[in-house]
């Protein structure tokens, strides 16, 4: 279905009926809606990262069950559905239930129950407990309308995410939510369909202890493209938009698609899977006519940074992980490392799968996420000061012309302006500084790279050169270069196809900046 007339881009709009009635662009996911609601399971759970279309999907399900057939005209489901039965729908949006203590969270749940009662014309029965009130609401709606009830719960885990790193508040709030969700299994005869979305997967032994028959469709291949936008969908349902965007930027269409892929594509929630674009970033890019970090710019969750600190995760440890499914598609309560949270939050995604070993390769999805992560982690290594953006721009200019000497001179000047901080007097700290800065500049970079005779501190690759960098602290750049030569590090990279440049750098622990360096081609 190719658009001939451009529609408005639904930036921040998550209500299906508003998209349809007000002429916004809607990427047709209604075939999935029909498949979900006519499957063998009537209890479903979907995990996807924030701003990935979960709320719009929930709204689409609500509209479908409420029965206004005319809103689905021209969409895939119009040819699939023949009955269009109306059901009473209970819709709970947990996204505003953040930063609440136990009493405030209970009040929030009671308020949502009351809103659903008013909307369905149900007279409230006295109940102090949310689980009793939800049970009464389901049974009263069933009695009033003579139809089974649909329950839709969006962002079910929102009240828990900001305390997921805590041992004090998490059990208390988890019990509140478990109490609220507990009627869903007991009310099974009165329920037509139950759908929950969230970012994280909480254990069925805790928050869903009563609801042990829920189907997790997060990694089911048939639903791989349920949220997000595939390249096929972009090239068909947004074809005219691509032409207009390309004209605005001065690129041809294929150049633009390659740029969009590098910035916003690369997500896979199972394997095999089509490439999935981040819908929030893609819609913002088309709306603004520019490629920026929209998803990451909309806010880095506090819980992510806290968990990275809790598990002492270094920047280079985030990507390139080979793990079994149970190591990342796992409940966050049983985490022994940060991988499940990084995956479920969208900072890692599946890049490959080895069937015989049952090993998945997890890596950072795209340039937007990589740069956003490094920018947020940078404050742990270099305090947030005004010249950082200017520094990066000037360093990028020097490295673009293969002037490593000029880039290091800029870095030396900048680091000498950074206030003193504790726990930085070790070589690894300065490895991380180089790793983050080179990553922010968009280059491939790795640390502690194994060779036949040792480990290279930092390897950085530009379009035209491979840099082998050895870091020393309170020694000399000559000693760093001697180690490169003694262990013949370049031998490991002889087949890379790029000229190799050796760089020895010595940092001064008293001045907390580069003391000297030497460069050899």
């Amino acid at each position: 279905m190719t658009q001939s007339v451009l529609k408005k881009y639904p930036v921040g709009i998550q209500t299906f009926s508003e998209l349809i009635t007000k002429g916004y662009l809607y990427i047709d996911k209604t075939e999935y809606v029909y498949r979900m609601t006519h499957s063998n399971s009537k209890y479903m759970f979907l995990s996807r990262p924030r701003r990935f279309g979960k709320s719009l999907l929930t709204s689409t399900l609500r509209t479908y069950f409420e029965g206004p057939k005319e809103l689905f005209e021209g969409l895939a489901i119009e040819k699939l559905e023949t009955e269009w039965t109306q059901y009473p729908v209970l819709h709970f949006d947990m996204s505003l239930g953040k930063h609440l203590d136990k009493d405030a969270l209970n009040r929030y749940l009671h308020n949502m129950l009351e809103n659903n009662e008013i909307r369905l014309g149900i007279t409230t029965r006295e109940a102090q407990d949310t689980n009793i009130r939800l049970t009464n609401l389901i049974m009263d709606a069933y009695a009033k309308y003579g139809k089974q009830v649909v329950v839709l719960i969006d962002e079910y885990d929102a009240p828990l995410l900001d305390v997921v790193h805590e041992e004090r508040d998490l059990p208390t709030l988890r019990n509140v939510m478990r109490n609220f969700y507990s009627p869903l299994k007991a009310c099974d005869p009165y329920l037509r369909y139950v759908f929950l979305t969230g970012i994280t997967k909480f254990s069925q032994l805790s928050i869903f202890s009563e609801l042990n028959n829920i189907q997790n469709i997060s990694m089911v291949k048939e639903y791989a493209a349920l949220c997000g936008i595939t390249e096929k969908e972009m090239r068909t349902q947004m074809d005219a938009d691509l032409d207009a965007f390309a004209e605005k930027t001065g690129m041809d269409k294929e150049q633009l698609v390659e740029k969009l892929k590098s910035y916003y594509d690369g997500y896979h929630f199972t394997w095999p899977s089509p490439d999935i674009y981040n819908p929030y970033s893609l819609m913002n890019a088309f709306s603004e006519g520019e490629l920026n970090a929209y998803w990451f710019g909309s806010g880095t969750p506090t819980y992510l940074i806290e968990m990275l600190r809790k598990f002492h995760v270094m920047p280079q440890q985030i990507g390139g992980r080979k793990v079994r499914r149970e190591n990342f598609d796992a409940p966050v309560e049983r985490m022994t490392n940060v991988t499940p949270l990084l995956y479920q939050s969208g900072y890692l995604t599946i890049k490959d799968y080895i069937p015989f070993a049952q090993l998945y390769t997890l890596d950072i999805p795209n340039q937007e996420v990589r740069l956003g992560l490094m920018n947020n982690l940078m404050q742990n290594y270099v305090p947030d000061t005004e010249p950082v953006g200017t520094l990066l721009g000037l360093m990028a200019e020097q490295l673009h012309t293969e002037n490593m000497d000029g880039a290091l001179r800029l870095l030396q000047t900048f680091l000498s302006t950074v206030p003193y901080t504790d726990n930085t007097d070790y070589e690894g700290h300065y490895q991380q500084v180089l790793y983050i800065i080179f990553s922010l500049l968009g280059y491939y970079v790795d640390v502690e790279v194994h060779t036949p005779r040792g480990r290279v501190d930092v390897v950085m690759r530009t379009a035209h050169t491979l840099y082998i960098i050895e870091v020393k602290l309170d020694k000399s750049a000559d000693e760093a270069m001697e180690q490169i030569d003694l262990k013949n590090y370049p031998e490991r990279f002889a087949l890379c196809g790029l000229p190799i440049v050796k760089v020895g750098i010595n940092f001064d622990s008293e001045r907390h900046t580069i003391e000297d360096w030497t460069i050899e081609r």
Side-chain angles (χ1 to χ4, degrees):
M1 180 173 69
T2 302
Q3 287 178 264
S4 56
V5 179
L6 298 184
K7 292 189 175 184
K8 296 179 290 184
Y9 301 107
V11 175
I13 299 175
Q14 304 172 77
T15 304
F16 173 79
S17 59
E18 184 175 359
L19 264 63
I20 300 302
T21 58
K22 295 186 178 179
Y24 286 96
L25 174 67
Y26 173 68
I27 302 300
D28 189 358
K29 302 289 185 179
T30 59
E31 180 180 349
Y32 294 106
V33 168
Y34 183 84
R35 190 185 305 166
M36 292 163 63
T37 56
H38 290 76
S39 72
N40 293 327
S41 176
K42 68 176 181 180
Y43 295 86
M44 287 187 171
F45 166 68
L46 176 71
S47 168
R48 287 293 183 269
R50 64 187 177 89
R51 296 188 179 276
F52 235 85
K54 300 186 299 295
S55 296
L56 177 57
L57 174 63
T58 305
S59 177
T60 307
L61 281 162
R62 172 177 169 176
T63 305
Y64 164 69
F65 278 117
E66 289 178 340
K69 179 181 177 180
E70 65 278 5
L71 293 181
F72 294 90
E73 184 179 346
L75 299 177
I77 201 170
E78 182 186 30
K79 298 179 180 178
L80 298 171
E81 184 57 82
T82 57
E83 297 182 1
W84 295 98
T85 304
Q86 290 181 292
Y87 295 91
V89 178
L90 304 181
H91 187 183
F92 299 96
D93 180 1
M94 300 293 179
S95 63
L96 296 180
K98 302 174 182 177
H99 314 296
L100 302 178
D101 61 21
K102 177 182 176 182
D103 292 337
L105 181 55
N106 269 304
R107 289 195 299 271
Y108 179 71
L109 296 174
H110 276 293
N111 182 67
M112 285 195 296
L113 286 162
E114 182 180 6
N115 290 339
N116 278 277
E117 290 162 351
I118 293 171
R119 182 169 51 81
L120 294 179
I122 303 294
T123 303
T124 304
R125 285 197 263 167
E126 287 295 325
Q128 292 184 343
D129 296 328
T130 57
N131 60 339
I132 295 175
R133 189 170 182 178
L134 177 56
T135 301
N136 291 343
L137 177 54
I138 291 171
M139 296 180 69
D140 290 348
Y142 176 81
K144 178 174 181 176
Y145 292 95
K147 293 282 196 315
Q148 288 178 305
V149 178
V150 173
V151 179
L152 306 174
I153 301 172
D154 193 21
E155 304 286 1
Y156 88 95
D157 53 351
L160 305 176
L161 280 177
D162 286 306
V163 295
V164 72
H165 60 284
E166 297 181 11
E167 296 181 0
R168 184 191 65 183
D169 294 333
L170 178 60
T172 300
L173 298 184
R174 186 171 57 203
N175 286 337
V176 172
M177 299 309 301
R178 177 170 58 188
N179 181 59
F180 176 71
Y181 295 131
S182 62
L184 294 178
K185 183 177 182 181
C187 290
D188 180 75
Y190 309 101
L191 296 173
R192 161 65 178 85
Y193 186 72
V194 176
F195 180 66
L196 301 95
T197 77
I199 292 176
T200 58
K201 180 181 178 183
F202 277 80
S203 171
Q204 289 179 326
L205 299 176
S206 59
I207 195 168
F208 294 129
S209 57
E210 301 300 323
L211 194 61
N212 55 12
N213 57 341
I214 190 168
Q215 182 189 8
N216 182 3
I217 62 171
S218 305
M219 289 187 68
V220 175
K221 293 176 184 177
E222 289 75 15
Y223 299 114
L226 178 57
C227 288
I229 299 173
T230 66
E231 184 162 331
K232 180 180 179 181
E233 289 169 335
M234 183 179 71
R235 285 184 178 274
T236 54
Q237 300 181 52
M238 301 176 68
D239 187 56
D241 302 84
L242 278 170
D243 289 328
F245 195 171
E247 184 177 352
K248 185 174 182 178
T249 59
M251 292 183 274
D252 64 41
K253 183 186 288 189
E254 292 308 311
Q255 286 177 321
L256 173 62
V257 169
E258 285 305 306
K259 283 282 188 181
L260 292 170
K261 282 176 71 69
S262 68
Y263 268 77
Y264 310 125
D265 192 13
Y267 291 91
H268 310 95
F269 301 106
T270 186
W271 196 269
S273 164
D275 282 355
I276 307 292
Y277 285 79
N278 183 316
Y280 180 79
S281 294
L282 198 63
M283 289 299 176
N284 270 280
F286 275 87
S287 178
E288 298 292 331
E290 295 181 0
L291 280 72
N292 288 318
Y294 297 104
W295 183 72
F296 226 103
S298 66
T300 305
T302 304
Y303 68 81
L304 176 71
I305 301 301
E306 292 295 336
M307 293 299 277
L308 288 172
R309 288 173 180 160
K310 178 178 178 179
F311 287 105
H312 308 291
V313 175
M314 296 294 152
Q316 85 279 3
Q317 294 174 319
I318 293 175
R321 297 171 176 232
K322 291 188 183 296
V323 295
R324 296 173 68 89
R325 175 170 174 168
E326 58 267 24
N327 297 131
F328 66 93
D329 183 36
V332 295
E333 299 130 300
R334 293 196 237 132
M335 286 193 305
T336 56
N337 60 69
V338 78
T339 303
L341 192 60
L342 285 170
Y343 170 75
Q344 293 167 29
S345 299
Y347 300 97
L348 292 178
T349 194
I350 299 170
K351 290 295 186 179
D352 196 8
Y353 177 60
I354 305 173
F356 71 87
Q358 296 184 328
L359 282 177
Y360 291 84
T361 299
L362 303 184
D363 212 339
I364 297 171
N366 50 46
Q367 187 170 348
E368 178 188 29
V369 178
R370 180 177 295 279
L371 296 184
L373 267 172
M374 293 305 115
N375 194 42
N376 276 270
L377 290 171
M378 189 173 187
Q379 61 187 318
N380 292 327
Y381 299 91
V382 179
D384 187 17
T385 55
E386 186 65 30
V388 173
T390 304
L391 165 80
L392 292 175
L394 293 172
M395 285 189 68
E397 180 183 19
Q398 296 297 320
L399 289 172
H400 181 69
T401 59
E402 305 297 325
N403 185 4
M404 175 61 79
D405 182 77
L408 293 178
R409 201 172 298 278
L410 286 165
L411 183 58
Q412 180 189 48
T413 302
F414 170 72
L415 290 178
S416 67
T417 69
V418 174
Y420 171 76
T421 55
D422 291 328
N423 303 317
T424 61
D425 293 339
Y426 61 100
E427 287 183 9
H429 171 79
Y430 294 100
Q431 286 180 11
Q432 303 308 320
V433 170
L434 294 175
Y435 178 89
I436 291 173
I437 288 176
F438 289 142
S439 293
L440 282 169
L441 294 173
Y443 296 120
Y444 168 84
V445 58
D446 201 357
V447 301
E448 298 289 339
V449 179
H450 286 258
T451 76
R453 302 184 186 182
R455 290 179 295 184
V456 185
D457 283 336
V458 181
V459 175
M460 192 269 283
R461 185 182 69 211
T462 69
H464 307 290
T465 305
L466 185 78
Y467 292 94
I468 295 175
I469 304 171
E470 184 65 26
V471 175
K472 293 297 180 186
L473 182 64
D474 295 330
K475 294 183 180 178
S476 71
D478 287 338
E479 286 183 69
M481 186 61 70
E482 286 173 10
Q483 182 170 329
I484 294 175
D485 292 335
L486 179 65
K487 299 195 174 183
N488 197 14
Y489 288 152
E491 179 184 41
R492 161 72 169 74
F493 309 97
L495 301 179
C496 73
L498 293 173
I500 295 175
V501 174
K502 301 178 291 183
V503 182
I505 304 176
N506 179 52
F507 286 86
D508 186 325
S509 63
E510 288 189 8
R511 296 172 54 231
H512 303 285
T513 188
I514 300 174
E515 174 67 21
D516 60 332
W517 64 88
T518 181
I519 301 171
E520 293 183 10
R521 288 187 175 273

